[in-house]
PDB file of all heavy atoms in Angstrom:
ATOM      1  N   ASP A1380      16.226  -1.425 -15.201  1.00  0.00           N
ATOM      2  CA  ASP A1380      17.430  -2.136 -15.629  1.00  0.00           C
ATOM      3  C   ASP A1380      18.204  -2.726 -14.457  1.00  0.00           C
ATOM      4  O   ASP A1380      18.693  -3.859 -14.525  1.00  0.00           O
ATOM      5  CB  ASP A1380      18.324  -1.218 -16.455  1.00  0.00           C
ATOM      6  CG  ASP A1380      17.723  -0.903 -17.819  1.00  0.00           C
ATOM      7  OD1 ASP A1380      16.833  -1.660 -18.288  1.00  0.00           O
ATOM      8  OD2 ASP A1380      18.132   0.112 -18.421  1.00  0.00           O
ATOM      9  N   LYS A1381      18.311  -1.984 -13.372  1.00  0.00           N
ATOM     10  CA  LYS A1381      19.035  -2.485 -12.190  1.00  0.00           C
ATOM     11  C   LYS A1381      18.267  -3.632 -11.524  1.00  0.00           C
ATOM     12  O   LYS A1381      18.866  -4.587 -11.036  1.00  0.00           O
ATOM     13  CB  LYS A1381      19.304  -1.359 -11.193  1.00  0.00           C
ATOM     14  CG  LYS A1381      20.268  -0.316 -11.705  1.00  0.00           C
ATOM     15  CD  LYS A1381      21.640  -0.907 -11.987  1.00  0.00           C
ATOM     16  CE  LYS A1381      22.622   0.166 -12.416  1.00  0.00           C
ATOM     17  NZ  LYS A1381      23.976  -0.369 -12.626  1.00  0.00           N
ATOM     18  N   LEU A1389      20.944 -13.209  -9.396  1.00  0.00           N
ATOM     19  CA  LEU A1389      20.390 -14.226  -8.489  1.00  0.00           C
ATOM     20  C   LEU A1389      19.929 -15.482  -9.218  1.00  0.00           C
ATOM     21  O   LEU A1389      19.539 -16.449  -8.569  1.00  0.00           O
ATOM     22  CB  LEU A1389      19.214 -13.631  -7.709  1.00  0.00           C
ATOM     23  CG  LEU A1389      19.539 -12.477  -6.760  1.00  0.00           C
ATOM     24  CD1 LEU A1389      18.265 -11.875  -6.182  1.00  0.00           C
ATOM     25  CD2 LEU A1389      20.475 -12.944  -5.649  1.00  0.00           C
ATOM     26  N   ALA A1401       3.814   8.767  -9.781  1.00  0.00           N
ATOM     27  CA  ALA A1401       2.922   8.960  -8.639  1.00  0.00           C
ATOM     28  C   ALA A1401       1.453   9.025  -9.032  1.00  0.00           C
ATOM     29  O   ALA A1401       0.573   8.745  -8.220  1.00  0.00           O
ATOM     30  CB  ALA A1401       3.315  10.217  -7.868  1.00  0.00           C
ATOM     31  N   LYS A1406       5.664   4.545 -16.677  1.00  0.00           N
ATOM     32  CA  LYS A1406       6.883   5.262 -17.041  1.00  0.00           C
ATOM     33  C   LYS A1406       7.862   4.361 -17.780  1.00  0.00           C
ATOM     34  O   LYS A1406       8.498   4.796 -18.727  1.00  0.00           O
ATOM     35  CB  LYS A1406       7.582   5.831 -15.788  1.00  0.00           C
ATOM     36  CG  LYS A1406       6.871   6.976 -15.136  1.00  0.00           C
ATOM     37  CD  LYS A1406       6.739   8.191 -16.024  1.00  0.00           C
ATOM     38  CE  LYS A1406       8.031   8.938 -16.189  1.00  0.00           C
ATOM     39  NZ  LYS A1406       7.883  10.275 -16.798  1.00  0.00           N
ATOM     40  N   ALA A1407       7.991   3.118 -17.318  1.00  0.00           N
ATOM     41  CA  ALA A1407       8.940   2.190 -17.938  1.00  0.00           C
ATOM     42  C   ALA A1407       8.505   0.768 -17.630  1.00  0.00           C
ATOM     43  O   ALA A1407       7.962   0.496 -16.561  1.00  0.00           O
ATOM     44  CB  ALA A1407      10.351   2.438 -17.412  1.00  0.00           C
ATOM     45  N   SER A1415       6.283 -15.423 -18.661  1.00  0.00           N
ATOM     46  CA  SER A1415       4.976 -15.937 -19.065  1.00  0.00           C
ATOM     47  C   SER A1415       3.980 -14.814 -19.347  1.00  0.00           C
ATOM     48  O   SER A1415       4.186 -13.655 -18.990  1.00  0.00           O
ATOM     49  CB  SER A1415       4.427 -16.895 -18.004  1.00  0.00           C
ATOM     50  OG  SER A1415       4.263 -16.232 -16.777  1.00  0.00           O
ATOM     51  N   LEU A1439       0.098  -4.336   2.351  1.00  0.00           N
ATOM     52  CA  LEU A1439      -1.104  -4.621   1.573  1.00  0.00           C
ATOM     53  C   LEU A1439      -1.531  -6.072   1.780  1.00  0.00           C
ATOM     54  O   LEU A1439      -2.708  -6.355   2.003  1.00  0.00           O
ATOM     55  CB  LEU A1439      -0.833  -4.333   0.099  1.00  0.00           C
ATOM     56  CG  LEU A1439      -2.016  -4.136  -0.820  1.00  0.00           C
ATOM     57  CD1 LEU A1439      -2.869  -2.957  -0.387  1.00  0.00           C
ATOM     58  CD2 LEU A1439      -1.525  -3.926  -2.248  1.00  0.00           C
ATOM     59  N   PHE A1450     -10.915  -6.402   0.818  1.00  0.00           N
ATOM     60  CA  PHE A1450     -10.000  -6.416  -0.314  1.00  0.00           C
ATOM     61  C   PHE A1450     -10.627  -7.012  -1.565  1.00  0.00           C
ATOM     62  O   PHE A1450     -10.262  -6.640  -2.677  1.00  0.00           O
ATOM     63  CB  PHE A1450      -8.674  -7.081   0.057  1.00  0.00           C
ATOM     64  CG  PHE A1450      -7.705  -6.069   0.583  1.00  0.00           C
ATOM     65  CD1 PHE A1450      -7.793  -5.630   1.897  1.00  0.00           C
ATOM     66  CD2 PHE A1450      -6.754  -5.503  -0.239  1.00  0.00           C
ATOM     67  CE1 PHE A1450      -6.941  -4.662   2.376  1.00  0.00           C
ATOM     68  CE2 PHE A1450      -5.893  -4.532   0.231  1.00  0.00           C
ATOM     69  CZ  PHE A1450      -5.983  -4.102   1.538  1.00  0.00           C
ATOM     70  N   LEU A1453     -12.334  -3.975  -2.754  1.00  0.00           N
ATOM     71  CA  LEU A1453     -11.330  -3.037  -3.248  1.00  0.00           C
ATOM     72  C   LEU A1453     -10.826  -3.453  -4.624  1.00  0.00           C
ATOM     73  O   LEU A1453     -10.680  -2.619  -5.524  1.00  0.00           O
ATOM     74  CB  LEU A1453     -10.166  -2.982  -2.259  1.00  0.00           C
ATOM     75  CG  LEU A1453      -9.345  -1.729  -2.209  1.00  0.00           C
ATOM     76  CD1 LEU A1453     -10.186  -0.583  -1.682  1.00  0.00           C
ATOM     77  CD2 LEU A1453      -8.150  -1.946  -1.319  1.00  0.00           C
ATOM     78  N   ALA A1463      -2.230  -7.956  -4.119  1.00  0.00           N
ATOM     79  CA  ALA A1463      -1.795  -7.639  -2.762  1.00  0.00           C
ATOM     80  C   ALA A1463      -0.770  -8.646  -2.240  1.00  0.00           C
ATOM     81  O   ALA A1463      -1.064  -9.489  -1.395  1.00  0.00           O
ATOM     82  CB  ALA A1463      -3.009  -7.595  -1.828  1.00  0.00           C
ATOM     83  N   ALA A1474      12.960  12.469   1.543  1.00  0.00           N
ATOM     84  CA  ALA A1474      12.033  13.200   2.417  1.00  0.00           C
ATOM     85  C   ALA A1474      10.742  12.430   2.676  1.00  0.00           C
ATOM     86  O   ALA A1474       9.909  12.858   3.462  1.00  0.00           O
ATOM     87  CB  ALA A1474      11.704  14.558   1.791  1.00  0.00           C
ATOM     88  N   ALA A1480       5.893   3.853  -8.099  1.00  0.00           N
ATOM     89  CA  ALA A1480       5.852   2.488  -7.574  1.00  0.00           C
ATOM     90  C   ALA A1480       6.427   1.546  -8.618  1.00  0.00           C
ATOM     91  O   ALA A1480       6.381   1.825  -9.820  1.00  0.00           O
ATOM     92  CB  ALA A1480       4.427   2.076  -7.232  1.00  0.00           C
ATOM     93  N   GLY A1485       7.569 -12.705 -11.680  1.00  0.00           N
ATOM     94  CA  GLY A1485       8.322 -13.714 -12.422  1.00  0.00           C
ATOM     95  C   GLY A1485       8.830 -14.825 -11.540  1.00  0.00           C
ATOM     96  O   GLY A1485       8.878 -15.978 -11.954  1.00  0.00           O
ATOM     97  N   ASP A1486       9.220 -14.507 -10.334  1.00  0.00           N
ATOM     98  CA  ASP A1486       9.744 -15.505  -9.402  1.00  0.00           C
ATOM     99  C   ASP A1486       8.901 -15.417  -8.132  1.00  0.00           C
ATOM    100  O   ASP A1486       7.813 -14.839  -8.149  1.00  0.00           O
ATOM    101  CB  ASP A1486      11.231 -15.242  -9.128  1.00  0.00           C
ATOM    102  CG  ASP A1486      12.006 -16.521  -8.811  1.00  0.00           C
ATOM    103  OD1 ASP A1486      11.766 -17.113  -7.733  1.00  0.00           O
ATOM    104  OD2 ASP A1486      12.853 -16.929  -9.626  1.00  0.00           O
ATOM    105  N   ALA A1493      13.015  -8.147  -3.696  1.00  0.00           N
ATOM    106  CA  ALA A1493      14.443  -7.862  -3.502  1.00  0.00           C
ATOM    107  C   ALA A1493      15.033  -7.165  -4.723  1.00  0.00           C
ATOM    108  O   ALA A1493      15.847  -6.239  -4.597  1.00  0.00           O
ATOM    109  CB  ALA A1493      15.196  -9.159  -3.198  1.00  0.00           C
ATOM    110  N   ILE A1499      15.532   0.481  -6.954  1.00  0.00           N
ATOM    111  CA  ILE A1499      15.203   1.771  -6.333  1.00  0.00           C
ATOM    112  C   ILE A1499      16.438   2.371  -5.672  1.00  0.00           C
ATOM    113  O   ILE A1499      16.723   3.560  -5.828  1.00  0.00           O
ATOM    114  CB  ILE A1499      14.046   1.601  -5.333  1.00  0.00           C
ATOM    115  CG1 ILE A1499      12.756   1.226  -6.081  1.00  0.00           C
ATOM    116  CG2 ILE A1499      13.852   2.873  -4.503  1.00  0.00           C
ATOM    117  CD1 ILE A1499      11.636   0.724  -5.186  1.00  0.00           C
ATOM    118  N   ALA A1500      17.196   1.548  -4.950  1.00  0.00           N
ATOM    119  CA  ALA A1500      18.408   2.029  -4.275  1.00  0.00           C
ATOM    120  C   ALA A1500      19.432   2.532  -5.293  1.00  0.00           C
ATOM    121  O   ALA A1500      20.102   3.542  -5.057  1.00  0.00           O
ATOM    122  CB  ALA A1500      19.003   0.919  -3.414  1.00  0.00           C
ATOM    123  N   ARG A1514       2.008 -12.097   7.881  1.00  0.00           N
ATOM    124  CA  ARG A1514       1.790 -13.261   8.756  1.00  0.00           C
ATOM    125  C   ARG A1514       0.485 -13.938   8.425  1.00  0.00           C
ATOM    126  O   ARG A1514      -0.439 -13.409   7.999  1.00  0.00           O
ATOM    127  CB  ARG A1514       1.753 -12.807  10.201  1.00  0.00           C
ATOM    128  CG  ARG A1514       3.103 -12.321  10.588  1.00  0.00           C
ATOM    129  CD  ARG A1514       3.142 -11.839  12.012  1.00  0.00           C
ATOM    130  NE  ARG A1514       4.456 -11.252  12.155  1.00  0.00           N
ATOM    131  CZ  ARG A1514       4.778 -10.413  13.089  1.00  0.00           C
ATOM    132  NH1 ARG A1514       3.918 -10.050  13.954  1.00  0.00           N
ATOM    133  NH2 ARG A1514       5.979  -9.941  13.163  1.00  0.00           N
TER     134      ARG A1514
END
Side-chain angles (χ1 to χ4, degrees):
D1380 290 340
K1381 293 298 184 177
L1389 296 173
K1406 289 298 286 193
S1415 61
L1439 199 61
F1450 270 80
L1453 206 67
D1486 210 291
I1499 293 167
R1514 293 179 187 161

